[in-house]
Amino acid sequence: MTPDEDILSPDDRDFVTALASGLEVILAFGETHPRMTLSEVAARTGMNRARARRFLLTLHALGYVRKQGRNFELAPRVLQLGYAFLSSNDYRSVIQQMLEDITRQCGESSSLGVLDGEEVTYMARSSSPHRLLAITLSVGTRLPAAHTSMGRVLLAQLPEAKLDAWLAGIALEQHTDKTITDKDELKRCILEVRRQGYAIADQELDSGLRSLAVPAFDANGKLLGAINISTNAARIDHDTLIQEYLPLLQQKAQEIHATIS
């Protein structure tokens, strides 16, 4: 989605550093670091031990963090932060139905993602029985935007200057032998996505993973995110993506546009 024009910089007088640091501590926890000591939290956030300790103890007092011996972990109350966002976006139930329709019609997984910094965040998902990645994809999963079909569709919606700034600020990581790691080549790819209205990511993030995505707008032209179909490259070829799956995705995008205001 297009970044907010009025976003504050950290040196702005209205920027609350303590709030930003508290959120940074929460975000330090994740699938690879579900439980950490004070020293580990300090290292992951770049804070000194005293500062990290104050934030952890405050979050513990508020019920967002649990303490077990020397270890800290997120408490279930953190889910309220995500639920507040999800419940305020009532279009998700409509999109969820659309994604489930896609899965029923083609037998493949389908998702809605939004751009968040350098990553795409999964906001809704309909899973097929086929396992595509080593990780489990679900609502809240984050993947690098540069190497995903949804990410490239969303990047294609950015104005030229913001796209250039985004490209200048990222480091491209090699995931497979097909991963695009040259920024000029990636920009050409994104501009082609902008021209044609859809993106295909072919085994750039994970060997065997092939995906197709299109943008989804509401009735007022506001970008809601990107919807995709992800499949196994050994099972579904490029022609099938274009001839069968692309019309299906475009149809669902049109239905979203006509339904959500």
Side-chain angles (χ1 to χ4, degrees):
M1 293 183 175
T2 303
D4 194 327
E5 298 289 350
D6 300 322
I7 198 164
L8 295 178
S9 62
D11 57 354
D12 193 284
R13 60 182 292 182
D14 292 324
F15 188 90
V16 182
T17 303
L19 175 59
S21 297
L23 292 173
E24 187 177 358
V25 168
I26 290 176
L27 293 173
F29 294 88
E31 183 178 0
T32 58
H33 294 81
R35 195 171 294 104
M36 292 186 286
T37 64
L38 168 60
S39 296
E40 289 170 331
V41 172
R44 279 184 60 78
T45 58
M47 300 179 188
N48 60 47
R49 282 174 52 88
R51 183 174 175 82
R53 179 177 180 273
R54 290 197 300 272
F55 285 112
L56 282 169
L57 293 180
T58 300
L59 291 168
H60 180 260
L62 294 172
Y64 291 106
V65 165
R66 294 191 296 207
K67 189 175 185 295
Q68 297 184 343
R70 296 176 58 248
N71 291 310
F72 294 88
E73 63 184 12
L74 296 182
R77 190 173 186 183
V78 169
L79 294 173
Q80 293 180 358
L81 300 176
Y83 180 74
F85 173 81
L86 295 176
S87 61
S88 67
N89 290 277
D90 54 6
Y91 62 78
R92 286 185 65 257
S93 60
V94 175
I95 291 180
Q96 184 64 41
Q97 292 178 8
M98 304 281 188
L99 300 181
E100 291 172 2
D101 286 345
I102 291 170
T103 298
R104 278 194 296 270
Q105 292 183 52
C106 71
E108 305 292 347
S109 297
S110 182
S111 305
L112 168 77
V114 299
L115 186 64
D116 185 10
E118 296 181 11
E119 298 172 309
V120 167
T121 299
Y122 281 63
M123 303 305 301
R125 180 166 171 80
S126 173
S127 299
S128 76
H130 310 298
R131 183 69 177 268
L132 297 173
L133 284 170
I135 61 172
T136 300
L137 297 178
S138 60
V139 173
T141 294
R142 299 170 67 87
L143 295 178
H147 309 305
T148 59
S149 59
M150 289 196 295
R152 289 179 182 170
V153 159
L154 295 167
L155 290 168
Q157 309 308 310
L158 295 178
E160 197 78 7
K162 290 185 177 179
L163 175 59
D164 287 340
W166 188 92
L167 288 167
I170 64 166
L172 298 178
E173 181 181 347
Q174 184 90 43
H175 296 277
T176 73
D177 59 359
K178 295 180 180 293
T179 304
I180 294 176
T181 56
D182 179 81
K183 291 186 179 182
D184 289 336
E185 183 181 356
L186 177 60
K187 183 176 180 180
R188 287 193 295 271
C189 179
I190 293 170
L191 294 180
E192 177 65 11
V193 170
R194 182 185 293 170
R195 184 193 66 78
Q196 65 191 13
Y198 67 87
I200 292 177
D202 194 356
Q203 305 181 77
E204 290 191 44
L205 184 61
D206 190 75
S207 294
L209 176 64
R210 181 173 285 158
S211 63
L212 167 74
V214 300
F217 300 90
D218 69 11
N220 300 309
K222 177 184 176 182
L223 180 66
L224 299 175
I227 57 173
N228 84 337
I229 292 174
S230 51
T231 186
N232 189 295
R235 191 176 63 252
I236 301 298
D237 60 23
H238 189 275
D239 288 344
T240 301
L241 281 184
I242 296 298
Q243 296 171 13
E244 298 181 22
Y245 291 0
L246 180 57
L248 175 59
L249 270 184
Q250 291 172 330
Q251 175 193 341
K252 291 304 175 183
Q254 290 171 359
E255 291 178 16
I256 290 171
H257 178 67
T259 305
I260 298 173
S261 59

